[in-house]
Amino acid sequence: MPDPIEPASRRDPDFINFPPFETEDLRANLTRFLDTPFEEAVEQTRRVGNYKWGVYAFFDYDGEPIYVGQTNEMLRTRIRRHLTNQRTDAVAMSVLDPFEVLEIEVWPLPRYQETSGKDADARKHLDALERLITQRAVDRSEFKAILNEKDPPPGSLVVEAPRSLRARIVSDRVYELRSHPDFRIARRALIISRLAQVISERKVQGGLRRVLLTQALRLQWLASRRYDALGGASSVEQEGDEDG
C-alpha cells in the first residue's frame, strides 16, 4: 500500500501541528476507504462513507470479527467517531480498542438514503440487518463472541445481507509495528486492565462483564499461541544446582 504521508524526519514537530505517524496514517487510510466508490445501481455510484443508513463491522489482525454497529446518520461519521475521534462509549470505556482494527466491512442501505432517521420501517430493516451481521460475526468467531457491550435490538423481521465492501485501513508500515504478537499481547493486556478498572469503579450491567471475559479469552489465546509457537514447555529453562 503506498504511503502518501510525508516522513516525519522532513517536518519539525515542534513547529508544525501534525499528529504522530500512526494517527496520521490511520486518518489517511480511513479516508481512502470511506471515499471508495460503491455502486448502488447500474452506472450509479456514491462514496461508501456517504451512505446514511448501514451496518459496519471491525476485524482484528487475525481476521476475527470484533465489533458490529449500525448508523442512520452516515457511515463516515459513525466510523470516524469510533476510530479517529474516539468519542463513542465503546472506545471511551475500553470496550473497543482502535489499535486492534485492521479491516472494516460496511453494508450500506442505498434504498433509505433520502429517508428520515425516524422512519419506523427503515429502522426495523436496519435493526434486522444488524442482527444478521452480528450473528454471522459470532458464528465465525473463534470465541463465538464479539466485543459489543449490548445485543442488537430485538425483532422478528428477517432480511438478507446487501452488497458490502471490505478493506484494510492500515498501511504496511503500521501493520509491521502492530502485528507483532508480543505487541498485541501487551496491548490486549493494557485494554483489559483499563476495562477492569472501569468495571471496578461503576455499577455496570452484564454486557461489560461479558466483554471483559471475551477479552480475557482472546488474550489467553494470543499468549498460548505465542508460547506454543516458541517451543512451549520445551522452551522453559530448568534450574541448575547453583540456582537452588
Side-chain angles (χ1 to χ4, degrees):
M1 180 182 297
D3 183 5
I5 300 173
E6 181 184 356
S9 59
R10 300 179 187 173
R11 298 179 290 178
D12 188 337
D14 288 337
F15 298 98
I16 302 176
N17 183 15
F18 64 91
F21 161 68
E22 290 181 74
T23 301
E24 194 172 22
D25 181 90
L26 171 61
R27 289 177 179 174
N29 285 291
L30 183 57
T31 297
R32 185 178 297 110
F33 170 73
L34 295 172
D35 284 346
T36 302
F38 186 85
E39 186 175 355
E40 60 183 63
V42 178
E43 297 183 354
Q44 183 176 353
T45 63
R46 187 189 305 269
R47 292 180 178 182
V48 74
N50 291 350
Y51 284 96
K52 182 178 178 181
W53 297 74
V55 170
Y56 55 90
F58 299 146
F59 299 83
D60 72 5
Y61 283 68
D62 292 302
E64 274 284 315
I66 55 176
Y67 192 87
V68 175
Q70 61 156 270
T71 184
N72 61 8
E73 56 178 338
M74 189 175 291
L75 283 167
R76 180 185 305 274
T77 302
R78 187 63 180 169
I79 291 172
R80 277 182 166 169
R81 195 172 292 157
H82 279 305
L83 300 183
T84 57
N85 297 336
Q86 299 186 17
R87 292 179 179 174
T88 61
D89 288 344
V91 176
M93 299 179 72
S94 296
V95 169
L96 173 67
D97 178 16
F99 271 56
E100 284 194 82
V101 180
L102 177 68
E103 295 180 312
I104 301 176
E105 187 168 4
V106 293
W107 291 262
L109 292 172
R111 63 192 291 185
Y112 298 121
Q113 188 63 20
E114 306 302 326
T115 304
S116 166
K118 297 180 180 180
D119 185 276
D121 289 337
R123 293 183 68 89
K124 288 179 181 178
H125 191 123
L126 184 65
D127 290 345
L129 179 58
E130 185 185 9
R131 288 194 298 272
L132 173 64
I133 301 305
T134 297
Q135 190 58 55
R136 280 187 181 181
V138 170
D139 290 344
R140 296 172 183 177
S141 167
E142 175 77 19
F143 316 100
K144 302 306 176 187
I146 55 177
L147 299 179
N148 289 65
E149 178 188 355
K150 298 179 181 179
D151 292 332
S156 58
L157 180 65
V158 177
V159 299
E160 294 184 359
R163 291 178 54 249
S164 67
L165 176 69
R166 178 169 172 170
R168 192 167 114 172
I169 60 164
V170 170
S171 71
D172 291 340
R173 291 176 66 191
V174 172
Y175 181 85
E176 185 176 355
L177 291 171
R178 293 184 181 174
S179 62
H180 192 285
D182 290 336
F183 175 88
R184 294 186 62 207
I185 290 169
R187 182 75 188 187
R188 189 72 49 80
L190 173 64
I191 295 301
I192 288 176
S193 69
R194 290 176 179 172
L195 177 57
Q197 183 174 4
V198 168
I199 291 174
S200 73
E201 295 173 349
R202 306 184 186 188
K203 183 178 180 180
V204 301
Q205 301 298 319
L208 270 185
R209 297 187 185 279
R210 180 178 66 182
V211 172
L212 181 64
L213 174 61
T214 303
Q215 284 285 37
L217 292 172
R218 297 174 76 233
L219 173 60
Q220 181 186 32
W221 182 70
L222 274 179
S224 177
R225 187 174 67 176
R226 180 65 166 161
Y227 174 65
D228 291 340
L230 296 180
S234 64
S235 68
V236 179
E237 296 180 353
Q238 295 181 340
E239 290 186 6
D241 293 338
E242 67 277 6
D243 297 327

